[in-house]
Amino acid sequence: MERLLRFAKNSYAYVLGCTVTVLLVLLVAISPRGVLFTNQSFDPLRSMAPRSEAVIIGIDDESLKRLGAWPLERIHFANLVEKLSAVGVRSVVFDILFLEPRPYDTELKESFVKSTAPIILASKIDGEYLESYLTASTTNVFSALANVHPDMDGKVRSYAPSSDLRGGCIPTLSQVAFDISTFKKAGTTCEGQEGMFRYPTNVPMYSLVDVLDGKISSDSLKGKTVFVGVST
């Protein structure tokens, strides 16, 4: 009888210890740092080879050194759109906010109108919806939401195809770019649920000033979805 009681007591202690351990692991796993650790652990599995359809034109230190301090004069973006349209890119995605009038807006609007490639301009939600005032330049220009929600380490691992605002559907920048690159009507995807995505690595990136100087071959840009943004 005494042996049975000892066995029962030891079994109870073992089960209790396992239960406490499991609960502690679960609590750590669902904590912000636990989620971050899990995400970083699985990052190699989520990574993928870069899609050949996309390239990045970065506004890097050399571009700022050559073209001037940020924000750049918009004549440079007008020249960029003209060059990209001439080589036959699939679309031009500006991950840059054009929220207020500035010099050379006339030239930038004219480049949008003449462009053979669709132009996608970033908007954002910051208490209210802030849209680029250049969106109405032509029917070839689209507005899309640039808001993202990075994890604690600053890396974005999830996105929603769209966001609801006052009962309306605002598509995200990446979703509109994807719709256009796959020949769908831009902005037709209206889903608010966030989902994880595989993180492409080593996406081809070219300096803005190199593109403007004609140092990047047409073959490197032709047919591509081109993302333009700050890369410093």
Side-chain angles (χ1 to χ4, degrees), residues 29 33-48 151 153 155-157 196-201:
R33 293 196 176 278
V35 171
L36 176 61
F37 174 77
T38 302
N39 284 336
Q40 290 178 334
S41 299
F42 281 94
D43 275 349
L45 299 178
R46 295 195 187 107
S47 297
M48 61 179 291
D151 291 333
D153 59 352
K155 191 172 185 177
V156 178
R157 295 179 175 86
M196 303 293 288
F197 65 91
R198 299 182 69 188
Y199 213 96
T201 56

mmCIF file of all heavy atoms in Angstrom, residues 29 33-48 151 153 155-157 196-201:
data_model
loop_
_atom_site.group_PDB
_atom_site.id
_atom_site.type_symbol
_atom_site.label_atom_id
_atom_site.label_comp_id
_atom_site.label_asym_id
_atom_site.label_seq_id
_atom_site.Cartn_x
_atom_site.Cartn_y
_atom_site.Cartn_z
ATOM 1 N N ALA A 29 5.792 31.306 -25.814
ATOM 2 C CA ALA A 29 5.585 31.246 -27.267
ATOM 3 C C ALA A 29 4.631 32.316 -27.762
ATOM 4 O O ALA A 29 4.803 32.849 -28.859
ATOM 5 C CB ALA A 29 5.079 29.860 -27.661
ATOM 6 N N ARG A 33 8.040 38.526 -27.647
ATOM 7 C CA ARG A 33 9.387 38.043 -27.954
ATOM 8 C C ARG A 33 9.378 36.578 -28.378
ATOM 9 O O ARG A 33 10.206 36.155 -29.190
ATOM 10 C CB ARG A 33 10.300 38.246 -26.747
ATOM 11 C CG ARG A 33 10.559 39.716 -26.453
ATOM 12 C CD ARG A 33 11.749 39.903 -25.540
ATOM 13 N NE ARG A 33 12.032 41.320 -25.336
ATOM 14 C CZ ARG A 33 12.719 42.073 -26.180
ATOM 15 N NH1 ARG A 33 13.201 41.548 -27.287
ATOM 16 N NH2 ARG A 33 12.937 43.352 -25.925
ATOM 17 N N GLY A 34 8.434 35.812 -27.830
ATOM 18 C CA GLY A 34 8.321 34.423 -28.249
ATOM 19 C C GLY A 34 7.872 34.302 -29.690
ATOM 20 O O GLY A 34 8.394 33.489 -30.457
ATOM 21 N N VAL A 35 6.904 35.139 -30.068
ATOM 22 C CA VAL A 35 6.436 35.154 -31.455
ATOM 23 C C VAL A 35 7.563 35.581 -32.386
ATOM 24 O O VAL A 35 7.753 35.019 -33.468
ATOM 25 C CB VAL A 35 5.226 36.103 -31.602
ATOM 26 C CG1 VAL A 35 4.864 36.289 -33.064
ATOM 27 C CG2 VAL A 35 4.031 35.560 -30.824
ATOM 28 N N LEU A 36 8.342 36.593 -31.945
ATOM 29 C CA LEU A 36 9.465 37.045 -32.755
ATOM 30 C C LEU A 36 10.485 35.929 -32.944
ATOM 31 O O LEU A 36 10.984 35.707 -34.051
ATOM 32 C CB LEU A 36 10.133 38.252 -32.087
ATOM 33 C CG LEU A 36 11.396 38.794 -32.768
ATOM 34 C CD1 LEU A 36 11.077 39.272 -34.184
ATOM 35 C CD2 LEU A 36 11.995 39.934 -31.944
ATOM 36 N N PHE A 37 10.804 35.205 -31.861
ATOM 37 C CA PHE A 37 11.758 34.099 -31.950
ATOM 38 C C PHE A 37 11.262 33.027 -32.904
ATOM 39 O O PHE A 37 12.021 32.498 -33.741
ATOM 40 C CB PHE A 37 11.997 33.504 -30.556
ATOM 41 C CG PHE A 37 12.861 32.272 -30.569
ATOM 42 C CD1 PHE A 37 14.239 32.378 -30.714
ATOM 43 C CD2 PHE A 37 12.298 31.007 -30.455
ATOM 44 C CE1 PHE A 37 15.043 31.247 -30.737
ATOM 45 C CE2 PHE A 37 13.090 29.868 -30.479
ATOM 46 C CZ PHE A 37 14.470 29.991 -30.615
ATOM 47 N N THR A 38 9.955 32.714 -32.815
ATOM 48 C CA THR A 38 9.372 31.707 -33.718
ATOM 49 C C THR A 38 9.453 32.164 -35.164
ATOM 50 O O THR A 38 9.828 31.398 -36.054
ATOM 51 C CB THR A 38 7.906 31.443 -33.330
ATOM 52 O OG1 THR A 38 7.853 30.997 -31.972
ATOM 53 C CG2 THR A 38 7.291 30.374 -34.233
ATOM 54 N N ASN A 39 9.099 33.430 -35.394
ATOM 55 C CA ASN A 39 9.149 33.952 -36.766
ATOM 56 C C ASN A 39 10.559 33.906 -37.329
ATOM 57 O O ASN A 39 10.780 33.500 -38.479
ATOM 58 C CB ASN A 39 8.625 35.389 -36.792
ATOM 59 C CG ASN A 39 7.117 35.468 -36.686
ATOM 60 O OD1 ASN A 39 6.420 34.505 -37.023
ATOM 61 N ND2 ASN A 39 6.607 36.577 -36.215
ATOM 62 N N GLN A 40 11.533 34.340 -36.533
ATOM 63 C CA GLN A 40 12.907 34.345 -37.009
ATOM 64 C C GLN A 40 13.423 32.933 -37.249
ATOM 65 O O GLN A 40 14.209 32.698 -38.163
ATOM 66 C CB GLN A 40 13.793 35.082 -36.004
ATOM 67 C CG GLN A 40 13.536 36.579 -35.950
ATOM 68 C CD GLN A 40 14.383 37.286 -34.912
ATOM 69 O OE1 GLN A 40 14.809 36.682 -33.925
ATOM 70 N NE2 GLN A 40 14.629 38.567 -35.114
ATOM 71 N N SER A 41 12.960 31.982 -36.432
ATOM 72 C CA SER A 41 13.381 30.588 -36.601
ATOM 73 C C SER A 41 12.866 30.007 -37.901
ATOM 74 O O SER A 41 13.536 29.188 -38.551
ATOM 75 C CB SER A 41 12.895 29.746 -35.418
ATOM 76 O OG SER A 41 13.448 30.208 -34.202
ATOM 77 N N PHE A 42 11.644 30.432 -38.305
ATOM 78 C CA PHE A 42 11.046 29.886 -39.514
ATOM 79 C C PHE A 42 11.326 30.727 -40.754
ATOM 80 O O PHE A 42 10.913 30.359 -41.852
ATOM 81 C CB PHE A 42 9.525 29.735 -39.328
ATOM 82 C CG PHE A 42 9.130 28.526 -38.547
ATOM 83 C CD1 PHE A 42 8.928 28.598 -37.176
ATOM 84 C CD2 PHE A 42 8.964 27.298 -39.178
ATOM 85 C CE1 PHE A 42 8.571 27.473 -36.451
ATOM 86 C CE2 PHE A 42 8.606 26.170 -38.458
ATOM 87 C CZ PHE A 42 8.411 26.252 -37.087
ATOM 88 N N ASP A 43 12.016 31.868 -40.606
ATOM 89 C CA ASP A 43 12.318 32.726 -41.753
ATOM 90 C C ASP A 43 13.004 31.982 -42.900
ATOM 91 O O ASP A 43 12.653 32.174 -44.073
ATOM 92 C CB ASP A 43 13.167 33.921 -41.331
ATOM 93 C CG ASP A 43 12.318 35.067 -40.811
ATOM 94 O OD1 ASP A 43 11.084 35.015 -40.979
ATOM 95 O OD2 ASP A 43 12.880 36.017 -40.233
ATOM 96 N N PRO A 44 14.010 31.120 -42.604
ATOM 97 C CA PRO A 44 14.655 30.409 -43.725
ATOM 98 C C PRO A 44 13.691 29.542 -44.519
ATOM 99 O O PRO A 44 13.841 29.375 -45.732
ATOM 100 C CB PRO A 44 15.725 29.554 -43.029
ATOM 101 C CG PRO A 44 16.023 30.286 -41.765
ATOM 102 C CD PRO A 44 14.706 30.861 -41.331
ATOM 103 N N LEU A 45 12.674 29.007 -43.844
ATOM 104 C CA LEU A 45 11.690 28.167 -44.541
ATOM 105 C C LEU A 45 10.727 29.005 -45.362
ATOM 106 O O LEU A 45 10.178 28.533 -46.362
ATOM 107 C CB LEU A 45 10.908 27.318 -43.529
ATOM 108 C CG LEU A 45 11.736 26.338 -42.684
ATOM 109 C CD1 LEU A 45 10.842 25.604 -41.694
ATOM 110 C CD2 LEU A 45 12.448 25.329 -43.588
ATOM 111 N N ARG A 46 10.523 30.260 -44.926
ATOM 112 C CA ARG A 46 9.592 31.130 -45.642
ATOM 113 C C ARG A 46 10.263 31.867 -46.788
ATOM 114 O O ARG A 46 9.598 32.462 -47.619
ATOM 115 C CB ARG A 46 8.993 32.163 -44.678
ATOM 116 C CG ARG A 46 8.119 31.571 -43.586
ATOM 117 C CD ARG A 46 7.286 32.657 -42.929
ATOM 118 N NE ARG A 46 6.563 32.151 -41.785
ATOM 119 C CZ ARG A 46 6.881 32.430 -40.522
ATOM 120 N NH1 ARG A 46 7.911 33.212 -40.272
ATOM 121 N NH2 ARG A 46 6.178 31.941 -39.530
ATOM 122 N N SER A 47 11.578 31.870 -46.810
ATOM 123 C CA SER A 47 12.285 32.599 -47.861
ATOM 124 C C SER A 47 12.127 31.894 -49.204
ATOM 125 O O SER A 47 11.908 30.691 -49.266
ATOM 126 C CB SER A 47 13.776 32.720 -47.513
ATOM 127 O OG SER A 47 13.944 33.457 -46.337
ATOM 128 N N MET A 48 12.221 32.668 -50.251
ATOM 129 C CA MET A 48 12.075 32.119 -51.593
ATOM 130 C C MET A 48 12.992 32.880 -52.535
ATOM 131 O O MET A 48 13.455 33.979 -52.226
ATOM 132 C CB MET A 48 10.622 32.239 -52.069
ATOM 133 C CG MET A 48 10.111 33.671 -52.160
ATOM 134 S SD MET A 48 8.412 33.828 -52.747
ATOM 135 C CE MET A 48 8.606 33.331 -54.450
ATOM 136 N N ASP A 151 7.040 43.448 -37.642
ATOM 137 C CA ASP A 151 7.245 42.782 -36.359
ATOM 138 C C ASP A 151 8.272 43.563 -35.533
ATOM 139 O O ASP A 151 8.802 44.583 -35.972
ATOM 140 C CB ASP A 151 7.724 41.345 -36.589
ATOM 141 C CG ASP A 151 6.630 40.475 -37.198
ATOM 142 O OD1 ASP A 151 5.446 40.774 -36.973
ATOM 143 O OD2 ASP A 151 6.971 39.503 -37.903
ATOM 144 N N ASP A 153 11.279 43.134 -34.937
ATOM 145 C CA ASP A 153 12.599 43.300 -35.539
ATOM 146 C C ASP A 153 12.569 44.178 -36.783
ATOM 147 O O ASP A 153 13.575 44.319 -37.477
ATOM 148 C CB ASP A 153 13.213 41.944 -35.875
ATOM 149 C CG ASP A 153 12.352 41.139 -36.840
ATOM 150 O OD1 ASP A 153 11.221 41.564 -37.131
ATOM 151 O OD2 ASP A 153 12.811 40.075 -37.288
ATOM 152 N N LYS A 155 10.885 43.674 -39.531
ATOM 153 C CA LYS A 155 10.639 42.936 -40.761
ATOM 154 C C LYS A 155 9.136 42.700 -40.943
ATOM 155 O O LYS A 155 8.427 42.360 -40.002
ATOM 156 C CB LYS A 155 11.369 41.591 -40.721
ATOM 157 C CG LYS A 155 11.398 40.847 -42.041
ATOM 158 C CD LYS A 155 12.310 39.639 -41.961
ATOM 159 C CE LYS A 155 12.450 38.936 -43.301
ATOM 160 N NZ LYS A 155 13.396 37.801 -43.253
ATOM 161 N N VAL A 156 8.664 42.891 -42.161
ATOM 162 C CA VAL A 156 7.253 42.674 -42.474
ATOM 163 C C VAL A 156 7.067 41.233 -42.949
ATOM 164 O O VAL A 156 7.696 40.810 -43.924
ATOM 165 C CB VAL A 156 6.765 43.662 -43.552
ATOM 166 C CG1 VAL A 156 5.308 43.392 -43.909
ATOM 167 C CG2 VAL A 156 6.925 45.098 -43.074
ATOM 168 N N ARG A 157 6.231 40.483 -42.253
ATOM 169 C CA ARG A 157 6.017 39.080 -42.603
ATOM 170 C C ARG A 157 4.574 38.776 -43.004
ATOM 171 O O ARG A 157 4.248 37.653 -43.349
ATOM 172 C CB ARG A 157 6.410 38.181 -41.432
ATOM 173 C CG ARG A 157 7.893 38.217 -41.086
ATOM 174 C CD ARG A 157 8.209 37.316 -39.908
ATOM 175 N NE ARG A 157 9.632 37.245 -39.652
ATOM 176 C CZ ARG A 157 10.299 38.127 -38.897
ATOM 177 N NH1 ARG A 157 9.642 39.139 -38.342
ATOM 178 N NH2 ARG A 157 11.593 38.004 -38.712
ATOM 179 N N MET A 196 0.361 35.427 -43.817
ATOM 180 C CA MET A 196 1.815 35.354 -43.916
ATOM 181 C C MET A 196 2.209 35.177 -45.384
ATOM 182 O O MET A 196 1.442 34.643 -46.185
ATOM 183 C CB MET A 196 2.347 34.178 -43.100
ATOM 184 C CG MET A 196 1.967 34.196 -41.640
ATOM 185 S SD MET A 196 2.715 35.547 -40.708
ATOM 186 C CE MET A 196 4.414 34.993 -40.636
ATOM 187 N N PHE A 197 3.379 35.647 -45.743
ATOM 188 C CA PHE A 197 3.849 35.453 -47.106
ATOM 189 C C PHE A 197 5.309 35.040 -47.090
ATOM 190 O O PHE A 197 6.035 35.285 -46.125
ATOM 191 C CB PHE A 197 3.646 36.708 -47.961
ATOM 192 C CG PHE A 197 4.470 37.893 -47.520
ATOM 193 C CD1 PHE A 197 5.728 38.124 -48.050
ATOM 194 C CD2 PHE A 197 3.980 38.793 -46.593
ATOM 195 C CE1 PHE A 197 6.478 39.208 -47.666
ATOM 196 C CE2 PHE A 197 4.731 39.884 -46.193
ATOM 197 C CZ PHE A 197 5.977 40.100 -46.725
ATOM 198 N N ARG A 198 5.717 34.395 -48.136
ATOM 199 C CA ARG A 198 7.108 33.985 -48.264
ATOM 200 C C ARG A 198 7.945 35.193 -48.648
ATOM 201 O O ARG A 198 7.580 35.967 -49.524
ATOM 202 C CB ARG A 198 7.233 32.872 -49.297
ATOM 203 C CG ARG A 198 6.456 31.624 -48.922
ATOM 204 C CD ARG A 198 6.647 30.528 -49.942
ATOM 205 N NE ARG A 198 8.004 30.009 -49.911
ATOM 206 C CZ ARG A 198 8.488 29.150 -50.796
ATOM 207 N NH1 ARG A 198 7.711 28.728 -51.789
ATOM 208 N NH2 ARG A 198 9.719 28.703 -50.709
ATOM 209 N N TYR A 199 9.068 35.349 -47.987
ATOM 210 C CA TYR A 199 9.883 36.555 -48.114
ATOM 211 C C TYR A 199 10.938 36.372 -49.202
ATOM 212 O O TYR A 199 11.855 35.573 -49.052
ATOM 213 C CB TYR A 199 10.575 36.844 -46.778
ATOM 214 C CG TYR A 199 10.766 38.303 -46.487
ATOM 215 C CD1 TYR A 199 9.862 39.012 -45.712
ATOM 216 C CD2 TYR A 199 11.859 38.991 -47.007
ATOM 217 C CE1 TYR A 199 10.048 40.353 -45.440
ATOM 218 C CE2 TYR A 199 12.043 40.329 -46.747
ATOM 219 C CZ TYR A 199 11.139 41.014 -45.950
ATOM 220 O OH TYR A 199 11.312 42.334 -45.692
ATOM 221 N N PRO A 200 10.814 37.091 -50.304
ATOM 222 C CA PRO A 200 11.828 36.952 -51.363
ATOM 223 C C PRO A 200 13.154 37.554 -50.945
ATOM 224 O O PRO A 200 13.198 38.570 -50.247
ATOM 225 C CB PRO A 200 11.217 37.717 -52.540
ATOM 226 C CG PRO A 200 10.302 38.708 -51.911
ATOM 227 C CD PRO A 200 9.775 38.062 -50.667
ATOM 228 N N THR A 201 14.224 36.937 -51.334
ATOM 229 C CA THR A 201 15.562 37.436 -50.998
ATOM 230 C C THR A 201 16.292 37.861 -52.276
ATOM 231 O O THR A 201 16.017 37.366 -53.362
ATOM 232 C CB THR A 201 16.381 36.357 -50.280
ATOM 233 O OG1 THR A 201 16.434 35.185 -51.106
ATOM 234 C CG2 THR A 201 15.728 35.989 -48.946
#
